[in-house]
Amino acid sequence: MTGAAGVSTTGDIAPKPVFSEAVRVSARIGVLSFGGPAGQIALMHRVLVDEKRWVDEERFLHALSYCMLLPGPEAQQLATYIGWLLHGWRGGLVAGLLFILPGFVVILALSAFYALFHDTSLLATVFFGIKAGVLAIVLQALMRLSSRALKTRFHVGIALASFLLLFVFDLPFPLVVLLAGLAGYGRVLHRAYRDDQWRPRLPRFALAGIGKGALRSVGVRKTLLTLLCWLAIWQAPLLLIHGLDGPKDVIAETLSGETNVFGAIFSFFSRMAVVTFGGAYAVLAYVAQTAVQHYAWLRPGEMLDGLALAETTPGPLVLVLCFVGFMAGFRNPFGFDPLTAGFLGASLAAWATFAPSFLFIFAGAPYIERLRGHAGLSAALAAITAAIVGVMANLSLWFGLHVLFADVGRLVLWSRRVGVQGSDYVNVPIAGIAWPAWATIDVSALLLFTLAVVLVFRHRAGVATVLGVSALAGCLLRLAG
């Protein structure tokens, strides 16, 4: 049931789970979190909101809107946020770690296999069907999210505009989210100016008792202690790195100021952790260029192999950075066994990448919760939530095209002639759309997607069933073909 304002009442929320049950569900989400941020957010929504009812729709979307504004993997941050709501810092820590660990273990094993044998064909066969299953789950989540988040024509317009800005004009994801937030806040200010009736409302705290203790105790001193604690945790590996005794790495020292490859790995990915707005794809080109041309950690083309490995594992797609760290350590072992050095390099990349997300959530979430009742900020976050519908629609369409077609290019709709010094005019594309080569459609993938859609929408099958059946059917089709 919902109240007059469309906010879920306490009757919709199940009793807060015991910690052990929350751990089991977090582990299940971590193991099944395929499909990038769209699939992972869809999975968490289905499990935490629809099945378990541990948080309501408003709370989930409010948390998601905040996580979308942060650098780093938004799905892992959302898992940490929900865990914090349920069981404080230990709940957030466990939920965030369990969201990462299954994928991290898998990417370690796959990176070692790749480094030793340089082959990914077997993995492509195993995970062929899973992608089709994830696509059906994402489609269901998109339909549910849009029906609940798009409450007014204004929000529908925000979602549509966000989709077009991303899919057609290829604007940066953070800019689209920022524009949506400004539009929502501006709408409230316009109404206040027009009606002269707007007043800030007192903050509304958690429903069904979730998170009240954390909210009562939030304060500047506690926030500063949280920041200092997590900054120390984030940078703690430097103590180990600087204690290593071995020959100096001239390249690492020249480019990063660190005397060995492990220091260079940690320094580089620590910087990446605070600028990775928009997900892994936003920084892949820069990481690939730096890893290949500057540090010589990878050979040309290996970044795409690493991305293929990351796309076939659960967890955030940014785990591809662990592949880079593994290969850097494997090829520059610094006196260690190559596999041991690879494990250390991947671990340092993961630590540098994911530790800041805990800092952002534990320091910022209490304040975000206190601001849930502020009219202006609530309107801004509601607009960001509407924009997220457009973001997920763009991700879903991109993901679907790449699952169903072998060749997807870009059809330019609008370009502009620009003069270039020392040459003739060149056409700079301004607007375009992803456009598949229709002859490259994968009939097997289409059949698997149809099967997954039937399982999801007709038989209401669970996530594990859909992914398991899709994976098995995919293997059979590939082996038969």
Side-chain angles (χ1 to χ4, degrees):
M1 289 172 40
T2 57
V7 179
S8 300
T9 64
T10 55
D12 286 327
I13 305 299
K16 187 173 74 171
V18 297
F19 185 69
S20 59
E21 184 182 4
V23 171
R24 287 194 297 271
V25 172
S26 296
R28 175 191 169 201
I29 290 173
V31 170
L32 298 177
S33 57
F34 293 91
Q40 292 153 7
I41 292 169
L43 173 66
M44 282 188 280
H45 185 277
R46 180 165 180 173
V47 173
L48 300 174
V49 178
D50 295 332
E51 295 179 4
K52 298 297 183 180
R53 297 184 297 111
W54 289 345
V55 291
D56 64 7
E57 189 78 25
E58 181 197 23
R59 176 61 57 80
F60 183 88
L61 296 178
H62 185 85
L64 178 58
S65 298
Y66 172 60
C67 296
M68 284 287 186
L69 295 174
L70 299 174
E74 59 269 22
Q76 183 242 345
Q77 291 162 351
L78 179 61
T80 305
Y81 196 120
I82 300 299
W84 171 82
L85 281 175
L86 295 173
H87 290 285
W89 69 268
R90 65 170 185 158
L93 183 62
V94 170
L97 288 176
L98 288 176
F99 189 84
I100 302 166
L101 284 176
F104 177 68
V105 171
V106 173
I107 200 70
L108 272 182
L110 297 183
S111 298
F113 183 87
Y114 179 87
L116 294 173
F117 304 105
H118 218 74
D119 183 24
T120 62
S121 58
L122 177 62
L123 306 174
T125 300
V126 173
F127 291 100
F128 170 60
I130 288 180
K131 292 183 180 181
V134 168
L135 183 58
I137 294 171
V138 168
L139 181 61
Q140 182 193 44
L142 179 62
M143 294 173 63
R144 287 181 175 178
L145 180 61
S146 61
S147 67
R148 296 168 181 174
L150 306 183
K151 301 173 182 177
T152 67
R153 286 183 293 179
F154 173 77
H155 292 128
V156 172
I158 289 287
L160 181 60
S162 300
F163 173 77
L164 293 176
L165 289 174
L166 290 166
F167 187 69
V168 178
F169 294 95
D170 201 24
L171 288 188
F173 161 77
L175 177 61
V176 173
V177 172
L178 177 62
L179 290 175
L182 291 175
Y185 197 84
R187 186 169 182 247
V188 168
L189 294 181
H190 173 70
R191 286 184 171 182
Y193 179 80
R194 184 188 63 188
D195 301 334
D196 196 26
Q197 294 178 348
W198 177 75
R199 297 289 186 276
R201 292 181 292 165
L202 292 175
R204 286 183 286 112
F205 292 106
L207 300 176
I210 298 178
K212 285 184 178 178
L215 293 175
R216 288 196 191 103
S217 59
V218 66
V220 175
R221 182 180 178 183
K222 184 175 181 180
T223 302
L224 289 176
L225 288 174
T226 301
L227 286 171
L228 290 174
C229 176
W230 278 98
L231 280 172
I233 292 173
W234 180 17
Q235 297 300 307
L238 287 174
L239 297 175
L240 169 65
I241 293 169
H242 291 159
L244 294 175
D245 185 21
K248 287 187 177 182
D249 187 321
V250 177
I251 296 178
E253 187 172 18
T254 302
L255 295 177
S256 67
E258 299 291 340
T259 58
N260 59 64
V261 66
F262 302 114
I265 290 171
F266 189 79
S267 173
F268 177 64
F269 289 116
S270 291
R271 294 196 302 271
M272 290 296 96
V274 295
V275 298
T276 51
F277 291 94
Y281 286 110
V283 294
L284 281 184
Y286 176 73
V287 171
Q289 182 181 25
T290 304
V292 173
Q293 298 180 7
H294 292 250
Y295 288 107
W297 292 339
L298 300 179
R299 301 186 182 101
E302 288 186 335
M303 192 68 180
L304 291 178
D305 292 337
L307 182 59
L309 296 179
E311 285 183 329
T312 56
T313 63
L317 190 58
V318 77
L319 283 169
V320 66
L321 302 184
C322 297
F323 167 80
V324 178
F326 185 95
M327 297 304 296
F330 183 85
R331 288 172 175 161
N332 303 274
F334 196 66
F336 292 99
D337 173 79
L339 287 177
T340 302
F343 173 80
L344 181 57
S347 300
L348 289 171
W351 191 294
T353 300
F354 294 112
S357 293
F358 293 102
L359 184 154
F360 299 144
I361 297 302
F362 292 148
Y367 292 96
I368 295 300
E369 286 297 303
R370 290 179 68 91
L371 294 172
R372 288 179 64 227
H374 187 282
L377 290 176
S378 293
L381 290 176
I384 291 173
T385 300
I388 290 170
V389 175
V391 171
M392 286 191 65
N394 176 63
L395 288 172
S396 302
L397 184 54
W398 182 92
F399 184 57
L401 288 174
H402 284 80
V403 167
L404 299 177
F405 294 90
D407 183 12
V408 180
R410 188 162 181 85
L411 178 64
V412 177
L413 302 177
W414 177 29
S415 63
R416 183 178 179 180
R417 295 187 69 195
V418 177
V420 180
Q421 185 177 4
S423 65
D424 295 332
Y425 287 96
V426 296
N427 289 322
V428 177
I430 297 176
I433 58 174
W435 192 258
W438 297 97
T440 65
I441 187 170
D442 190 330
V443 177
S444 297
L446 182 60
L447 291 174
L448 290 170
F449 173 63
T450 304
L451 171 63
V453 167
V454 171
L455 290 173
V456 169
F457 290 96
R458 183 176 180 83
H459 298 288
R460 308 291 180 184
V463 174
T465 300
V466 173
L467 295 182
V469 171
S470 298
L472 178 60
C475 288
L476 292 175
L477 284 174
R478 279 289 174 90
L479 293 175

